[in-house]
Amino acid sequence: MSPANSAQLATPEVVRRQVNLFDLQRQKSRLGAEIETRIDKVLDHGQFILGPEVEELEQDLAAFAGVKHAIAVSSGRDALIMALMALDIGPGDAVFVPGFTFSATAGSVASVGAAPVFVDVREDTFNMDPEDLERAVERVKKDGKLTPKVVMPVDLYGLPADYAAIGKVAAAHGMKVIADGAQSYGGEAGNSRVGALAPLTATSFYPTKPLGCYGDGGAIFSTDDNLADVVRQIRHHGRAGDGDEALRLGMTGRLDTIQAAVLQVKLAAFEHELGARRRLAAMYTERLKDHIATPVIPNGYDSAYALYTVRVKNRDGVRAKLQEEGIGTGLFYRIPLHKHPAFAQWVREDEHLPVSEALAEDVISLPIHADLTDEELDYVVTHFLKAIA
Ligand SMILES: *Cc1c(COP(=O)(O)O)cnc(C)c1O
Protein backbone atom coordinates (compact mmCIF):
# COMPACT_ATOMS: atom_id res chain seq x y z
CA MET A 1 0.00 0.00 0.00
CA SER A 2 1.36 3.39 -0.94
CA PRO A 3 1.78 5.97 1.79
CA ALA A 4 -0.96 8.09 0.21
CA ASN A 5 -3.46 5.24 0.51
CA SER A 6 -2.60 4.44 4.08
CA ALA A 7 -3.20 8.07 5.00
CA GLN A 8 -6.63 7.92 3.38
CA LEU A 9 -7.56 4.78 5.28
CA ALA A 10 -6.47 6.04 8.66
CA THR A 11 -9.36 6.87 10.99
CA PRO A 12 -9.57 10.66 11.32
CA GLU A 13 -8.47 11.52 14.79
CA VAL A 14 -11.37 12.65 16.96
CA VAL A 15 -10.25 15.79 18.73
CA ARG A 16 -11.55 15.69 22.23
CA ARG A 17 -11.89 19.10 23.72
CA GLN A 18 -12.44 20.52 27.14
CA VAL A 19 -15.03 23.30 26.92
CA ASN A 20 -15.91 24.89 30.22
CA LEU A 21 -19.15 26.68 30.98
CA PHE A 22 -17.10 29.75 31.90
CA ASP A 23 -13.39 30.41 31.35
CA LEU A 24 -11.93 33.27 33.32
CA GLN A 25 -8.33 32.22 32.66
CA ARG A 26 -8.57 33.24 29.02
CA GLN A 27 -9.91 36.62 29.98
CA LYS A 28 -6.97 36.90 32.34
CA SER A 29 -4.52 36.33 29.52
CA ARG A 30 -6.10 39.29 27.68
CA LEU A 31 -6.50 41.66 30.62
CA GLY A 32 -4.29 40.30 33.42
CA ALA A 33 -1.26 42.55 32.91
CA GLU A 34 -3.33 45.73 33.03
CA ILE A 35 -5.31 44.48 36.01
CA GLU A 36 -2.09 43.83 37.92
CA THR A 37 -0.86 47.34 37.14
CA ARG A 38 -4.11 48.83 38.43
CA ILE A 39 -4.07 46.72 41.59
CA ASP A 40 -0.46 47.78 42.24
CA LYS A 41 -1.55 51.40 42.06
CA VAL A 42 -4.13 50.76 44.78
CA LEU A 43 -1.52 49.01 46.94
CA ASP A 44 0.70 52.07 46.50
CA HIS A 45 -1.84 54.76 47.36
CA GLY A 46 -3.36 52.62 50.12
CA GLN A 47 -6.94 53.92 50.03
CA PHE A 48 -8.47 50.47 50.24
CA ILE A 49 -11.95 51.67 51.18
CA LEU A 50 -13.73 54.16 48.89
CA GLY A 51 -10.48 55.03 47.11
CA PRO A 52 -10.51 57.11 43.90
CA GLU A 53 -11.04 54.01 41.71
CA VAL A 54 -14.47 53.43 43.26
CA GLU A 55 -15.82 56.81 42.21
CA GLU A 56 -14.22 56.59 38.77
CA LEU A 57 -15.78 53.17 38.27
CA GLU A 58 -19.17 54.44 39.40
CA GLN A 59 -19.06 57.19 36.80
CA ASP A 60 -18.16 54.70 34.07
CA LEU A 61 -20.82 52.19 35.18
CA ALA A 62 -23.47 54.92 35.17
CA ALA A 63 -22.37 56.24 31.78
CA PHE A 64 -22.44 52.75 30.25
CA ALA A 65 -25.93 52.10 31.59
CA GLY A 66 -27.16 55.58 30.70
CA VAL A 67 -28.38 56.24 34.23
CA LYS A 68 -27.61 59.10 36.60
CA HIS A 69 -26.35 57.20 39.63
CA ALA A 70 -24.26 54.06 40.14
CA ILE A 71 -23.20 53.11 43.65
CA ALA A 72 -20.60 50.35 43.93
CA VAL A 73 -21.35 47.89 46.73
CA SER A 74 -20.18 44.68 48.37
CA SER A 75 -22.27 42.11 46.45
CA GLY A 76 -25.42 41.60 44.42
CA ARG A 77 -27.33 40.33 47.41
CA ASP A 78 -26.22 43.29 49.51
CA ALA A 79 -27.28 45.57 46.65
CA LEU A 80 -30.80 44.12 46.85
CA ILE A 81 -30.84 44.42 50.64
CA MET A 82 -29.67 48.04 50.54
CA ALA A 83 -32.24 48.90 47.84
CA LEU A 84 -34.97 47.44 50.09
CA MET A 85 -33.59 49.33 53.10
CA ALA A 86 -33.60 52.57 51.07
CA LEU A 87 -37.35 52.08 50.54
CA ASP A 88 -37.87 51.30 54.26
CA ILE A 89 -39.13 47.80 53.56
CA GLY A 90 -39.48 45.56 56.61
CA PRO A 91 -41.81 43.35 58.67
CA GLY A 92 -45.39 43.24 57.39
CA ASP A 93 -44.40 44.20 53.85
CA ALA A 94 -44.85 41.93 50.82
CA VAL A 95 -42.18 41.86 48.12
CA PHE A 96 -43.13 40.02 44.93
CA VAL A 97 -40.36 37.89 43.44
CA PRO A 98 -40.33 35.40 40.56
CA GLY A 99 -40.46 31.73 41.51
CA PHE A 100 -37.61 30.83 39.21
CA THR A 101 -34.36 32.61 40.10
CA PHE A 102 -31.31 32.39 42.36
CA SER A 103 -32.20 32.09 46.04
CA ALA A 104 -30.59 35.46 46.86
CA THR A 105 -33.56 37.27 45.31
CA ALA A 106 -35.97 36.06 48.01
CA GLY A 107 -33.16 35.85 50.56
CA SER A 108 -32.60 39.61 50.37
CA VAL A 109 -36.28 40.18 51.11
CA ALA A 110 -36.19 37.89 54.15
CA SER A 111 -32.99 39.61 55.33
CA VAL A 112 -34.88 42.88 55.88
CA GLY A 113 -37.71 41.07 57.68
CA ALA A 114 -40.20 41.38 54.82
CA ALA A 115 -42.15 38.54 53.22
CA PRO A 116 -41.25 37.24 49.76
CA VAL A 117 -44.35 36.42 47.71
CA PHE A 118 -43.71 34.09 44.81
CA VAL A 119 -44.94 34.86 41.30
CA ASP A 120 -44.73 32.45 38.40
CA VAL A 121 -42.66 33.18 35.31
CA ARG A 122 -43.53 33.19 31.62
CA GLU A 123 -43.01 30.10 29.55
CA ASP A 124 -41.29 32.03 26.73
CA THR A 125 -38.93 34.49 28.45
CA PHE A 126 -38.57 32.69 31.83
CA ASN A 127 -39.12 36.11 33.46
CA MET A 128 -41.84 37.27 35.89
CA ASP A 129 -45.34 36.92 34.47
CA PRO A 130 -47.16 40.28 34.88
CA GLU A 131 -50.55 38.53 34.87
CA ASP A 132 -49.58 36.19 37.66
CA LEU A 133 -48.17 39.21 39.50
CA GLU A 134 -51.59 40.86 39.36
CA ARG A 135 -53.19 37.70 40.75
CA ALA A 136 -50.62 37.45 43.54
CA VAL A 137 -51.13 41.08 44.57
CA GLU A 138 -54.92 40.65 44.67
CA ARG A 139 -54.50 37.55 46.81
CA VAL A 140 -52.22 39.32 49.30
CA LYS A 141 -54.66 42.22 49.53
CA LYS A 142 -57.57 39.86 50.12
CA ASP A 143 -55.65 37.97 52.84
CA GLY A 144 -55.05 41.31 54.54
CA LYS A 145 -51.96 40.17 56.47
CA LEU A 146 -49.26 41.89 54.43
CA THR A 147 -48.98 45.22 52.64
CA PRO A 148 -47.88 44.94 49.00
CA LYS A 149 -44.88 47.27 48.77
CA VAL A 150 -42.32 46.20 46.17
CA VAL A 151 -42.06 44.15 42.99
CA MET A 152 -38.62 42.66 42.41
CA PRO A 153 -38.42 41.20 38.89
CA VAL A 154 -35.28 39.32 37.85
CA ASP A 155 -33.61 39.63 34.44
CA LEU A 156 -32.99 35.92 34.14
CA TYR A 157 -29.92 34.81 32.19
CA GLY A 158 -29.36 38.44 31.18
CA LEU A 159 -32.71 39.22 29.54
CA PRO A 160 -34.52 42.20 31.09
CA ALA A 161 -37.94 41.46 32.55
CA ASP A 162 -41.08 43.12 31.14
CA TYR A 163 -40.70 46.34 33.13
CA ALA A 164 -43.39 48.14 31.11
CA ALA A 165 -46.12 45.67 32.08
CA ILE A 166 -44.76 45.08 35.60
CA GLY A 167 -44.43 48.84 36.19
CA LYS A 168 -48.13 49.26 35.35
CA VAL A 169 -49.21 46.61 37.88
CA ALA A 170 -46.87 48.13 40.48
CA ALA A 171 -48.19 51.66 39.92
CA ALA A 172 -51.82 50.50 40.04
CA HIS A 173 -51.21 49.09 43.53
CA GLY A 174 -48.89 51.83 44.81
CA MET A 175 -45.82 49.58 44.77
CA LYS A 176 -42.20 50.36 43.88
CA VAL A 177 -40.02 48.31 41.52
CA ILE A 178 -36.52 47.09 42.41
CA ALA A 179 -34.87 45.32 39.48
CA ASP A 180 -32.72 42.29 40.28
CA GLY A 181 -30.32 42.83 37.42
CA ALA A 182 -27.62 40.62 38.95
CA GLN A 183 -27.26 38.74 35.65
CA SER A 184 -28.11 41.46 33.19
CA TYR A 185 -25.69 44.40 33.25
CA GLY A 186 -25.46 45.33 29.56
CA GLY A 187 -28.96 44.02 28.77
CA GLU A 188 -31.39 46.32 26.99
CA ALA A 189 -35.09 47.00 26.60
CA GLY A 190 -36.61 49.74 24.42
CA ASN A 191 -33.36 51.69 23.90
CA SER A 192 -32.57 51.72 27.62
CA ARG A 193 -29.94 49.63 29.28
CA VAL A 194 -30.25 47.73 32.54
CA GLY A 195 -29.86 50.26 35.33
CA ALA A 196 -32.26 52.68 33.65
CA LEU A 197 -35.25 50.32 33.53
CA ALA A 198 -36.37 50.74 37.16
CA PRO A 199 -35.98 53.43 39.86
CA LEU A 200 -33.56 51.08 41.66
CA THR A 201 -31.57 48.29 40.03
CA ALA A 202 -29.17 45.89 41.72
CA THR A 203 -26.42 44.11 39.85
CA SER A 204 -23.68 41.67 40.83
CA PHE A 205 -20.01 41.50 39.95
CA TYR A 206 -19.64 37.91 41.14
CA PRO A 207 -16.74 36.52 39.06
CA THR A 208 -18.88 34.60 36.54
CA LYS A 209 -21.50 37.28 35.95
CA PRO A 210 -21.25 39.08 32.58
CA LEU A 211 -19.16 41.80 34.26
CA GLY A 212 -17.33 40.16 37.15
CA CYS A 213 -14.56 41.14 39.55
CA TYR A 214 -12.08 38.91 41.43
CA GLY A 215 -14.22 38.44 44.51
CA ASP A 216 -17.61 39.69 45.61
CA GLY A 217 -19.00 42.95 44.35
CA GLY A 218 -22.11 44.63 43.05
CA ALA A 219 -23.74 47.95 42.26
CA ILE A 220 -26.99 49.79 42.70
CA PHE A 221 -28.25 52.04 39.93
CA SER A 222 -30.74 54.78 40.58
CA THR A 223 -32.59 57.28 38.47
CA ASP A 224 -33.55 59.18 41.66
CA ASP A 225 -31.18 61.66 43.39
CA ASN A 226 -32.68 61.18 46.83
CA LEU A 227 -32.67 57.37 46.72
CA ALA A 228 -29.07 57.45 45.51
CA ASP A 229 -28.06 59.60 48.52
CA VAL A 230 -29.84 57.24 50.88
CA VAL A 231 -28.14 54.18 49.36
CA ARG A 232 -24.72 55.86 49.65
CA GLN A 233 -25.36 56.39 53.35
CA ILE A 234 -26.60 52.84 53.91
CA ARG A 235 -23.53 51.24 52.32
CA HIS A 236 -21.29 53.28 54.67
CA HIS A 237 -22.78 52.52 58.12
CA GLY A 238 -25.55 55.05 57.62
CA ARG A 239 -23.06 57.90 57.53
CA ALA A 240 -23.08 60.84 55.12
CA GLY A 241 -19.64 61.41 53.55
CA ASP A 242 -16.95 61.59 56.26
CA GLY A 243 -19.46 62.38 59.00
CA ASP A 244 -19.25 60.39 62.25
CA GLU A 245 -22.97 60.47 62.80
CA ALA A 246 -25.03 57.41 61.87
CA LEU A 247 -28.02 59.08 60.24
CA ARG A 248 -29.79 55.78 59.58
CA LEU A 249 -29.13 52.06 59.92
CA GLY A 250 -26.52 50.93 57.46
CA MET A 251 -24.12 48.18 56.50
CA THR A 252 -20.49 47.56 55.64
CA GLY A 253 -21.70 47.59 52.09
CA ARG A 254 -18.90 49.14 50.03
CA LEU A 255 -17.06 47.68 47.04
CA ASP A 256 -13.33 47.28 47.83
CA THR A 257 -11.07 49.70 45.96
CA ILE A 258 -9.05 46.75 44.64
CA GLN A 259 -12.17 45.24 43.10
CA ALA A 260 -13.05 48.62 41.61
CA ALA A 261 -9.61 48.69 39.96
CA VAL A 262 -10.19 45.20 38.52
CA LEU A 263 -13.60 46.27 37.23
CA GLN A 264 -12.24 49.41 35.57
CA VAL A 265 -10.15 47.23 33.28
CA LYS A 266 -12.94 44.73 32.69
CA LEU A 267 -15.52 47.44 32.02
CA ALA A 268 -13.26 48.93 29.33
CA ALA A 269 -13.42 45.52 27.57
CA PHE A 270 -17.08 44.90 28.35
CA GLU A 271 -18.67 46.30 25.19
CA HIS A 272 -16.45 43.99 23.15
CA GLU A 273 -17.22 41.02 25.41
CA LEU A 274 -20.94 41.69 25.24
CA GLY A 275 -20.70 41.71 21.46
CA ALA A 276 -18.83 38.40 21.53
CA ARG A 277 -21.46 36.81 23.79
CA ARG A 278 -24.26 38.02 21.55
CA ARG A 279 -22.56 36.72 18.43
CA LEU A 280 -22.05 33.31 20.05
CA ALA A 281 -25.66 33.24 21.27
CA ALA A 282 -26.85 34.01 17.73
CA MET A 283 -24.70 31.13 16.44
CA TYR A 284 -26.18 28.73 19.01
CA THR A 285 -29.69 29.84 18.09
CA GLU A 286 -29.05 29.49 14.37
CA ARG A 287 -27.71 25.96 14.85
CA LEU A 288 -30.31 24.80 17.41
CA LYS A 289 -33.56 26.49 16.42
CA ASP A 290 -34.76 23.65 14.19
CA HIS A 291 -34.23 21.13 16.97
CA ILE A 292 -35.34 22.76 20.23
CA ALA A 293 -36.91 25.95 21.57
CA THR A 294 -34.15 28.57 21.74
CA PRO A 295 -34.12 31.65 23.99
CA VAL A 296 -36.88 34.12 23.18
CA ILE A 297 -35.69 37.73 22.97
CA PRO A 298 -38.76 39.98 22.58
CA ASN A 299 -38.70 42.83 20.07
CA GLY A 300 -36.67 45.79 21.29
CA TYR A 301 -34.88 43.68 23.91
CA ASP A 302 -31.35 42.39 24.04
CA SER A 303 -29.86 39.99 26.54
CA ALA A 304 -26.47 40.28 28.25
CA TYR A 305 -26.31 36.48 27.86
CA ALA A 306 -25.02 35.74 31.31
CA LEU A 307 -26.08 32.23 30.29
CA TYR A 308 -27.35 30.54 27.15
CA THR A 309 -30.12 28.34 28.46
CA VAL A 310 -32.42 25.89 26.70
CA ARG A 311 -34.97 23.29 27.80
CA VAL A 312 -34.44 19.58 27.11
CA LYS A 313 -36.10 16.34 28.06
CA ASN A 314 -33.98 14.02 30.20
CA ARG A 315 -31.87 17.01 31.21
CA ASP A 316 -29.63 15.13 33.61
CA GLY A 317 -28.88 12.47 30.96
CA VAL A 318 -27.97 15.16 28.42
CA ARG A 319 -25.74 16.83 30.96
CA ALA A 320 -23.95 13.56 31.73
CA LYS A 321 -23.35 12.84 28.03
CA LEU A 322 -21.91 16.30 27.49
CA GLN A 323 -19.74 15.90 30.56
CA GLU A 324 -18.27 12.72 29.01
CA GLU A 325 -17.26 14.79 25.99
CA GLY A 326 -15.54 17.37 28.18
CA ILE A 327 -18.33 19.93 27.92
CA GLY A 328 -19.29 21.84 31.04
CA THR A 329 -22.93 22.80 31.51
CA GLY A 330 -24.87 24.54 34.26
CA LEU A 331 -28.23 23.89 35.90
CA PHE A 332 -29.70 27.22 36.92
CA TYR A 333 -31.93 26.48 38.79
CA ARG A 334 -32.83 22.99 39.95
CA ILE A 335 -35.06 24.24 42.77
CA PRO A 336 -37.79 26.86 42.37
CA LEU A 337 -37.80 29.40 45.19
CA HIS A 338 -40.89 28.07 46.96
CA LYS A 339 -39.19 24.67 47.41
CA HIS A 340 -36.18 25.99 49.33
CA PRO A 341 -36.33 25.07 53.04
CA ALA A 342 -35.18 28.59 53.97
CA PHE A 343 -38.36 30.13 52.55
CA ALA A 344 -40.85 27.56 53.87
CA GLN A 345 -42.53 30.02 56.21
CA TRP A 346 -43.62 32.20 53.28
CA VAL A 347 -44.97 29.40 51.14
CA ARG A 348 -48.74 28.92 51.00
CA GLU A 349 -50.12 25.45 51.61
CA ASP A 350 -51.37 25.10 48.05
CA GLU A 351 -48.46 27.01 46.48
CA HIS A 352 -48.02 25.87 42.92
CA LEU A 353 -45.98 27.67 40.27
CA PRO A 354 -46.32 25.34 37.30
CA VAL A 355 -43.91 27.10 34.92
CA SER A 356 -41.20 27.59 37.56
CA GLU A 357 -41.51 23.96 38.60
CA ALA A 358 -41.29 22.70 35.02
CA LEU A 359 -38.28 24.88 34.19
CA ALA A 360 -36.41 23.61 37.25
CA GLU A 361 -36.71 20.12 35.77
CA ASP A 362 -35.46 20.78 32.26
CA VAL A 363 -33.24 23.84 31.84
CA ILE A 364 -29.60 23.45 30.92
CA SER A 365 -27.04 26.18 30.23
CA LEU A 366 -24.39 25.72 27.54
CA PRO A 367 -20.90 27.24 27.57
CA ILE A 368 -20.88 30.95 26.76
CA HIS A 369 -18.18 33.51 27.44
CA ALA A 370 -16.36 36.12 25.39
CA ASP A 371 -13.36 33.86 24.72
CA LEU A 372 -15.28 30.80 23.49
CA THR A 373 -14.09 30.03 19.94
CA ASP A 374 -16.31 29.16 16.98
CA GLU A 375 -14.68 25.71 16.88
CA GLU A 376 -15.57 25.12 20.50
CA LEU A 377 -19.14 26.23 19.93
CA ASP A 378 -19.32 23.86 16.97
CA TYR A 379 -18.03 21.05 19.18
CA VAL A 380 -20.67 21.81 21.83
CA VAL A 381 -23.49 21.98 19.27
CA THR A 382 -22.43 18.72 17.60
CA HIS A 383 -22.40 16.81 20.87
CA PHE A 384 -25.51 18.53 22.20
CA LEU A 385 -27.53 17.54 19.12
CA LYS A 386 -26.27 13.97 19.50
CA ALA A 387 -27.18 13.95 23.17
CA ILE A 388 -30.76 15.13 22.62
CA ALA A 389 -31.36 12.90 19.58
C1 LIG B 1 -25.88 36.24 41.44
C2 LIG B 1 -27.25 36.67 41.77
C3 LIG B 1 -27.56 37.38 42.94
C4 LIG B 1 -26.58 37.60 44.05
O1 LIG B 1 -25.40 38.21 43.66
P1 LIG B 1 -24.11 38.03 44.62
O2 LIG B 1 -23.16 39.06 44.09
O3 LIG B 1 -23.63 36.64 44.43
O4 LIG B 1 -24.54 38.32 46.01
C5 LIG B 1 -28.85 37.82 43.14
N1 LIG B 1 -29.81 37.57 42.23
C6 LIG B 1 -29.57 36.88 41.10
C7 LIG B 1 -30.67 36.67 40.13
C8 LIG B 1 -28.29 36.39 40.84
O5 LIG B 1 -28.06 35.68 39.73
Side-chain angles (χ1 to χ4, degrees):
M1 204 184 279
S2 74
N5 278 342
S6 76
Q8 269 171 14
L9 290 173
T11 326
E13 198 179 321
V14 181
V15 186
R16 191 181 186 283
R17 293 172 180 268
Q18 181 65 41
V19 186
N20 299 329
L21 180 62
F22 308 114
D23 193 333
L24 289 170
Q25 290 313 314
R26 291 192 197 169
Q27 186 196 47
K28 179 170 172 284
S29 34
R30 274 189 288 125
L31 306 177
E34 200 185 339
I35 289 173
E36 281 172 29
T37 306
R38 296 279 186 125
I39 291 177
D40 271 348
K41 260 176 75 180
V42 177
L43 299 187
D44 286 342
H45 69 53
Q47 290 174 257
F48 301 118
I49 303 297
L50 296 182
E53 286 81 0
V54 176
E55 205 179 316
E56 288 165 22
L57 173 72
E58 290 177 340
Q59 283 166 9
D60 293 345
L61 287 169
F64 185 94
V67 59
K68 199 162 172 199
H69 301 282
I71 301 128
V73 301
S74 41
S75 74
R77 184 182 179 122
D78 289 351
L80 291 168
I81 291 173
M82 288 187 266
L84 288 162
M85 289 169 77
L87 296 179
D88 279 321
I89 303 304
D93 295 335
V95 178
F96 297 83
V97 299
F100 189 62
T101 171
F102 183 51
S103 64
T105 308
S108 68
V109 175
S111 291
V112 300
V117 177
F118 308 106
V119 177
D120 211 355
V121 296
R122 288 181 54 123
E123 188 101 40
D124 52 358
T125 60
F126 307 168
N127 279 332
M128 181 183 273
D129 179 352
E131 286 171 24
D132 199 51
L133 170 64
E134 178 70 44
R135 282 192 288 276
V137 176
E138 294 296 350
R139 203 174 50 231
V140 166
K141 283 190 159 172
K142 199 163 143 254
D143 288 351
K145 294 195 198 92
L146 299 166
T147 313
K149 282 282 182 70
V150 169
V151 188
M152 188 183 274
V154 174
D155 305 339
L156 203 72
Y157 308 140
L159 176 70
D162 186 351
Y163 289 99
I166 289 167
K168 272 187 206 149
V169 177
H173 296 281
M175 297 187 293
K176 296 275 194 318
V177 177
I178 296 175
D180 181 345
Q183 305 179 4
S184 63
Y185 187 65
E188 290 170 36
N191 293 325
S192 294
R193 275 181 162 162
V194 166
L197 300 173
L200 283 167
T201 299
T203 198
S204 166
F205 302 131
Y206 184 84
T208 53
K209 301 283 161 114
L211 179 63
C213 58
Y214 287 151
D216 280 310
I220 297 170
F221 299 91
S222 181
T223 52
D224 181 298
D225 295 345
N226 180 52
L227 282 177
D229 278 349
V230 171
V231 168
R232 281 184 195 285
Q233 291 175 11
I234 291 172
R235 80 162 168 184
H236 192 44
H237 303 292
R239 297 157 62 184
D242 295 330
D244 279 346
E245 214 175 7
L247 301 171
R248 60 181 67 246
L249 294 180
M251 306 203 347
T252 308
R254 303 154 304 222
L255 180 76
D256 294 342
T257 310
I258 286 181
Q259 298 300 346
V262 172
L263 284 164
Q264 282 186 297
V265 179
K266 294 212 193 184
L267 182 56
F270 188 60
E271 190 84 59
H272 156 79
E273 293 193 357
L274 204 51
R277 283 172 182 277
R278 286 180 176 153
R279 193 183 69 86
L280 292 161
M283 284 173 69
Y284 269 131
T285 295
E286 185 54 35
R287 298 276 308 274
L288 298 178
K289 68 183 191 323
D290 294 336
H291 305 273
I292 48 160
T294 48
V296 171
I297 310 295
N299 262 341
Y301 283 67
D302 211 344
S303 177
Y305 285 106
L307 293 162
Y308 187 91
T309 305
V310 291
R311 301 178 69 176
V312 295
K313 294 195 193 76
N314 182 22
R315 187 259 321 272
D316 295 333
V318 170
R319 177 174 162 87
K321 280 188 196 162
L322 293 178
Q323 188 66 47
E324 276 170 31
E325 303 297 342
I327 297 166
T329 55
L331 306 182
F332 308 101
Y333 297 90
R334 273 173 283 193
I335 308 171
L337 286 195
H338 60 298
K339 306 276 188 191
H340 286 269
F343 307 133
Q345 71 178 105
W346 296 288
V347 178
R348 288 176 297 129
E349 225 168 89
D350 57 345
E351 188 97 62
H352 185 43
L353 306 173
V355 181
S356 298
E357 288 162 24
L359 289 173
E361 295 293 319
D362 60 17
V363 288
I364 185 166
S365 301
L366 303 177
I368 192 161
H369 56 83
D371 297 287
L372 189 78
T373 67
D374 292 8
E375 292 72 28
E376 287 170 328
L377 184 139
D378 181 67
Y379 180 82
V380 174
V381 167
T382 302
H383 288 290
F384 178 74
L385 291 177
K386 250 193 231 168
I388 63 168

